[in-house]
Amino acid sequence: MGILDILKQYADPSSTPTGNIEDHFRQVAQEADPQDLGKGIASAFRSDATPPFGQMVGSLFGQSNPQQQSGVLNQLIQSIGPGALSGLAGGVLGRVLGSGGLSSMITPQQASQLSPNDVSAIAEHAQQHDGSIMDKLGSFYSQHPGLVQTLGTAALGIVMRNMSNR
């Protein structure tokens, strides 16, 4: 079954696709344009049918390797900006960054010191300061579709439905 055949099954929200959604997602993610996949992931982040954005990002962070963890943290921190970052610097990020503050990118070693709950809080803070953070992280996670699969069938269904509309 080709990618278009798979996506057609998800176009109608009232119908139930045949087959395994995880397998469908894996096949689509391998063949799809990364921009389309990223937009689909962002739609799952925005959906009322999935957990809150911060919780989803924290969950993905918990499943990530240290390089992926630092990548997502750097995206979040860039999104927050230096002014808004000061609210986090004394707490969660201050613990990792130490007294030197954020003078460079978060390293994988530093990222691995944070918990998924810490990252959930950072993601929620980023969401309040940058409405496009969901799109940015959708793009980031489009490069790591194996992680996206850990979000579960509801999120994958939303990704697939969004992509079928493109």
Side-chain angles (χ1 to χ4, degrees):
M1 184 179 310
I3 185 173
L4 293 177
D5 296 323
I6 292 171
L7 289 175
K8 282 180 188 176
Q9 294 184 54
Y10 293 87
D12 181 2
S14 65
S15 69
T16 304
T18 59
N20 183 316
I21 192 166
E22 288 89 359
D23 290 340
H24 287 169
F25 177 80
R26 190 175 12 261
Q27 185 176 350
V28 168
Q30 288 174 353
E31 298 179 35
D33 179 285
Q35 285 185 325
D36 289 338
L37 182 58
K39 289 176 183 177
I41 295 167
S43 69
F45 286 152
R46 287 186 177 92
S47 176
D48 292 337
T50 58
F53 172 67
Q55 184 179 338
M56 292 175 73
V57 173
S59 175
L60 289 166
F61 181 86
Q63 300 294 320
S64 298
N65 66 42
Q67 288 76 21
Q68 294 163 332
Q69 290 175 338
S70 68
V72 76
L73 275 171
N74 286 314
Q75 289 278 328
L76 289 167
I77 290 168
Q78 278 183 326
S79 184
I80 293 171
L85 187 60
S86 62
L88 289 174
V92 172
L93 290 175
R95 189 174 71 236
V96 171
L97 299 173
S99 60
L102 185 62
S103 58
S104 63
M105 303 292 270
I106 299 282
T107 66
Q109 182 181 8
Q110 290 171 318
S112 66
Q113 295 175 40
L114 294 173
S115 73
N117 287 338
D118 293 336
V119 175
S120 290
I122 294 168
E124 289 170 10
H125 195 72
Q127 183 182 12
Q128 293 170 2
H129 287 84
D130 180 2
S132 69
I133 189 60
M134 292 179 193
D135 296 312
K136 292 173 185 173
L137 291 189
S139 178
F140 175 83
Y141 284 115
S142 74
Q143 303 302 313
H144 309 283
L147 287 174
V148 175
Q149 284 191 256
T150 66
L151 292 176
T153 58
L156 295 180
I158 292 166
V159 172
M160 301 289 276
R161 188 167 302 116
N162 182 277
M163 291 181 68
S164 71
N165 293 329
R166 297 195 175 278

